Amino acid sequence: MAHSSVPEEAADRGVLLERLAVDVDPQLLELALTHRSYAYEHGGLPHNERLEFLGDAILGKAVTVKLYRDNPKLDEGDLAKRRASLVSSIALAEIARSLNLGAFLRLGRGEERTGGRDKSSILADAVEAVIGAVYLSTDDDVATQFVLRLVQPLADDPERFGGALDPKTSLQEVAARRGAGLPVYSITATGPDHSRSFTATVTVGDLVTATGIGSSKKQAEMAAALDAFNSLVRKRRKGDPAESTDTAPTPV
């Protein structure tokens, strides 16, 4: 079966390097973009999970130090919640999509068929792997600055930041303020039992319909909720009068 269509830029790692704006060893970058499904289908090639492990540690350290320094009045609990939001699979998948990282991944046929290029779990893992590749290609300072540049848009936007803390609750709050009733979710699943992919669709009255993909029902619903929440926020920013009374959920 032919693979799903991929943008032409997928063949040009130079395009991705321009977006990353940091020097990365080409072999390490290729490794960071290699999912285990591709590796298994090609004779057991190395894949990105070791780099993901490394990148996760670097990401956590950089975000922890940033939050500690930027928020001297927050206690440990609040700092932990904000850190969890910025390093969550949903947040990392947002970063990946902003880079169009999915177009550059090397995936196996099964993941191609089930929409792996837009699965939040795969995208999040790839971001961590790229961070690991950047660290090995440069040094701790450069990797830290790279991480902070990636997460800064999320940290700077209180509305998106609040939504990412608990997207389903945040969406429900917006729906209540608009008198639209509770968000309604539906789930479909594809793929074999050992590698299921879930797609969630959420509808908020006649305000918005959004979808999300994940490796679990919960993850798919959270991705759909965050997409719907962000869509409503964007409408308000564009001056939609119906959105003018909405306020951002307060991070807790």
Side-chain angles (χ1 to χ4, degrees):
M1 179 178 179
H3 287 191
S4 59
S5 61
V6 179
E8 293 181 2
E9 64 184 351
D12 183 4
R13 296 292 186 255
V15 173
L16 179 57
L17 284 170
E18 288 181 5
R19 292 177 186 168
L20 297 177
V22 66
D23 291 330
V24 190
D25 179 271
Q27 291 183 329
L28 285 173
L29 180 60
E30 195 73 3
L31 180 60
L33 299 172
T34 302
H35 188 256
R36 63 181 176 181
S37 62
Y38 181 94
Y40 293 163
E41 288 183 9
H42 291 78
L45 294 174
H47 52 76
N48 65 4
E49 290 183 0
R50 280 174 53 83
L51 282 177
E52 174 198 337
F53 171 79
L54 176 62
D56 176 68
I58 297 161
L59 170 70
K61 174 188 173 185
V63 170
T64 298
V65 172
K66 171 184 173 55
L67 289 172
Y68 182 88
R69 289 177 172 169
D70 290 355
N71 301 277
K73 295 183 179 180
L74 291 183
D75 63 21
E76 178 187 8
D78 288 332
L79 290 171
K81 289 175 182 178
R82 294 194 176 205
R83 178 179 61 191
S85 174
L86 290 176
V87 304
S88 71
S89 291
I90 289 177
L92 295 180
E94 285 187 77
I95 291 170
R97 292 186 182 103
S98 74
L99 298 167
N100 197 22
L101 194 61
F104 299 90
L105 297 176
R106 297 205 291 178
L107 299 176
R109 291 186 296 274
E111 288 295 349
E112 287 279 12
R113 286 196 299 268
T114 58
R117 293 187 185 278
D118 196 45
K119 283 184 184 177
S120 293
S121 57
I122 291 178
L123 291 173
D125 291 347
V127 169
E128 291 181 335
V130 169
I131 292 170
V134 169
Y135 174 83
L136 293 178
S137 300
T138 56
D139 56 38
D140 185 62
D141 288 341
V142 172
T144 296
Q145 292 306 310
F146 175 68
V147 168
L148 297 182
R149 179 158 50 83
L150 292 181
V151 303
Q152 197 66 52
L154 296 179
D156 284 346
D157 188 337
E159 290 173 324
R160 289 182 60 193
F161 188 67
L165 283 171
D166 187 348
K168 293 184 72 173
T169 299
S170 297
L171 180 61
Q172 186 173 321
E173 290 173 352
V174 171
R177 287 195 295 270
R178 294 293 307 278
L182 292 174
V184 177
Y185 295 85
S186 61
I187 297 281
T188 58
T190 57
D193 289 342
H194 67 278
S195 182
R196 301 288 272 175
S197 175
F198 297 90
T199 299
T201 300
V202 61
T203 300
V204 182
D206 59 357
L207 298 181
V208 67
T209 297
T211 59
I213 298 174
S215 56
S216 68
K217 292 180 181 179
K218 179 179 179 181
Q219 190 175 73
E221 287 183 346
M222 289 178 67
L226 185 59
D227 188 36
F229 174 79
N230 287 337
S231 293
L232 293 177
V233 168
R234 285 193 294 269
K235 283 184 180 180
R236 184 164 64 105
R237 287 176 178 166
K238 290 178 181 178
D240 184 345
E243 295 288 334
S244 60
T245 59
D246 286 347
T247 57
T250 302
V252 293

